[in-house]
Short mmCIF file of all heavy atoms in Angstrom, two decimals:
data_model
loop_
_atom_site.label_atom_id
_atom_site.label_comp_id
_atom_site.label_asym_id
_atom_site.label_seq_id
_atom_site.Cartn_x
_atom_site.Cartn_y
_atom_site.Cartn_z
N SER B 25 -3.51 29.76 -63.60
CA SER B 25 -3.05 31.01 -63.03
C SER B 25 -3.88 31.36 -61.79
O SER B 25 -3.98 30.56 -60.87
CB SER B 25 -3.05 32.11 -64.08
OG SER B 25 -2.26 33.20 -63.65
N ASN B 76 11.63 35.17 -59.73
CA ASN B 76 11.07 34.58 -58.51
C ASN B 76 11.07 33.06 -58.59
O ASN B 76 10.55 32.47 -59.53
CB ASN B 76 9.64 35.08 -58.31
CG ASN B 76 9.61 36.56 -58.02
OD1 ASN B 76 9.95 36.99 -56.93
ND2 ASN B 76 9.23 37.36 -59.03
N PHE B 81 6.53 33.05 -54.38
CA PHE B 81 5.08 32.87 -54.44
C PHE B 81 4.65 31.49 -53.95
O PHE B 81 3.69 31.36 -53.19
CB PHE B 81 4.60 33.11 -55.88
CG PHE B 81 3.10 33.19 -56.01
CD1 PHE B 81 2.35 34.00 -55.19
CD2 PHE B 81 2.44 32.44 -56.97
CE1 PHE B 81 0.97 34.07 -55.31
CE2 PHE B 81 1.07 32.50 -57.12
CZ PHE B 81 0.33 33.32 -56.28
N ALA B 110 -1.07 24.12 -66.18
CA ALA B 110 0.14 24.92 -66.33
C ALA B 110 0.58 24.83 -67.79
O ALA B 110 -0.12 24.23 -68.61
CB ALA B 110 1.23 24.41 -65.39
N SER B 111 1.71 25.39 -68.09
CA SER B 111 2.25 25.33 -69.45
C SER B 111 3.55 24.57 -69.45
O SER B 111 4.42 24.82 -68.62
CB SER B 111 2.50 26.74 -70.00
OG SER B 111 1.30 27.43 -70.13
N ILE B 113 6.51 24.63 -71.26
CA ILE B 113 7.18 25.54 -72.19
C ILE B 113 8.10 24.77 -73.13
O ILE B 113 8.20 25.08 -74.31
CB ILE B 113 7.94 26.63 -71.42
CG1 ILE B 113 6.94 27.50 -70.67
CG2 ILE B 113 8.79 27.48 -72.35
CD1 ILE B 113 7.56 28.49 -69.74
N GLY B 141 2.09 23.23 -57.45
CA GLY B 141 1.26 23.09 -58.65
C GLY B 141 0.61 24.41 -59.04
O GLY B 141 0.60 24.80 -60.20
N VAL B 142 0.08 25.10 -58.05
CA VAL B 142 -0.57 26.39 -58.30
C VAL B 142 0.45 27.42 -58.76
O VAL B 142 0.20 28.19 -59.70
CB VAL B 142 -1.34 26.87 -57.05
CG1 VAL B 142 -1.81 28.29 -57.21
CG2 VAL B 142 -2.53 25.94 -56.78
N ALA B 143 1.62 27.45 -58.13
CA ALA B 143 2.67 28.39 -58.53
C ALA B 143 3.12 28.10 -59.95
O ALA B 143 3.39 29.03 -60.73
CB ALA B 143 3.84 28.34 -57.56
N ALA B 144 3.22 26.83 -60.32
CA ALA B 144 3.59 26.47 -61.69
C ALA B 144 2.54 26.98 -62.67
O ALA B 144 2.86 27.45 -63.76
CB ALA B 144 3.76 24.96 -61.83
N SER B 145 1.29 26.91 -62.28
CA SER B 145 0.22 27.39 -63.14
C SER B 145 0.29 28.90 -63.34
O SER B 145 0.00 29.41 -64.42
CB SER B 145 -1.13 27.02 -62.54
OG SER B 145 -2.18 27.49 -63.35
N ALA B 146 0.69 29.60 -62.30
CA ALA B 146 0.76 31.07 -62.36
C ALA B 146 2.09 31.57 -62.92
O ALA B 146 2.27 32.77 -63.11
CB ALA B 146 0.55 31.65 -60.97
N ALA B 147 3.01 30.67 -63.20
CA ALA B 147 4.36 31.06 -63.62
C ALA B 147 4.34 31.75 -64.98
O ALA B 147 3.90 31.18 -65.97
CB ALA B 147 5.28 29.85 -63.65
N VAL B 148 4.82 32.96 -64.99
CA VAL B 148 4.97 33.74 -66.21
C VAL B 148 6.48 33.78 -66.50
O VAL B 148 7.24 34.16 -65.61
CB VAL B 148 4.43 35.17 -66.04
CG1 VAL B 148 4.69 36.02 -67.27
CG2 VAL B 148 2.96 35.14 -65.69
N PRO B 149 6.90 33.37 -67.69
CA PRO B 149 8.34 33.37 -67.97
C PRO B 149 8.99 34.72 -67.64
O PRO B 149 8.39 35.76 -67.81
CB PRO B 149 8.40 33.08 -69.47
CG PRO B 149 7.14 32.32 -69.74
CD PRO B 149 6.11 32.92 -68.82
N VAL B 150 10.19 34.68 -67.15
CA VAL B 150 11.03 35.78 -66.72
C VAL B 150 10.62 36.27 -65.32
O VAL B 150 11.46 36.49 -64.48
CB VAL B 150 11.08 36.95 -67.73
CG1 VAL B 150 11.97 38.07 -67.22
CG2 VAL B 150 11.57 36.47 -69.08
N VAL B 151 9.31 36.42 -65.07
CA VAL B 151 8.87 36.86 -63.75
C VAL B 151 9.06 35.73 -62.75
O VAL B 151 9.53 35.92 -61.64
CB VAL B 151 7.39 37.31 -63.78
CG1 VAL B 151 6.91 37.68 -62.39
CG2 VAL B 151 7.23 38.50 -64.73
N PHE B 152 8.66 34.51 -63.12
CA PHE B 152 8.78 33.34 -62.25
C PHE B 152 9.72 32.32 -62.88
O PHE B 152 9.64 32.06 -64.08
CB PHE B 152 7.41 32.66 -62.03
CG PHE B 152 6.45 33.48 -61.23
CD1 PHE B 152 5.45 34.19 -61.85
CD2 PHE B 152 6.54 33.53 -59.85
CE1 PHE B 152 4.55 34.94 -61.12
CE2 PHE B 152 5.65 34.28 -59.11
CZ PHE B 152 4.65 34.99 -59.74
N ALA B 153 10.55 31.72 -62.06
CA ALA B 153 11.40 30.63 -62.53
C ALA B 153 10.51 29.42 -62.79
O ALA B 153 9.57 29.17 -62.04
CB ALA B 153 12.45 30.29 -61.49
N PRO B 154 10.74 28.69 -63.85
CA PRO B 154 9.91 27.51 -64.13
C PRO B 154 10.10 26.46 -63.05
O PRO B 154 11.15 26.35 -62.43
CB PRO B 154 10.42 27.01 -65.48
CG PRO B 154 11.76 27.62 -65.65
CD PRO B 154 11.80 28.87 -64.84
N ILE B 155 9.05 25.70 -62.82
CA ILE B 155 9.11 24.57 -61.91
C ILE B 155 9.30 23.34 -62.78
O ILE B 155 8.50 23.08 -63.67
CB ILE B 155 7.85 24.48 -61.04
CG1 ILE B 155 7.81 25.69 -60.10
CG2 ILE B 155 7.82 23.18 -60.26
CD1 ILE B 155 6.57 25.79 -59.26
#
Side-chain angles (χ1 to χ4, degrees):
S25 197
N76 293 285
F81 190 50
S111 295
I113 295 172
V142 170
S145 179
V148 176
V150 180
V151 176
F152 292 101
I155 293 176

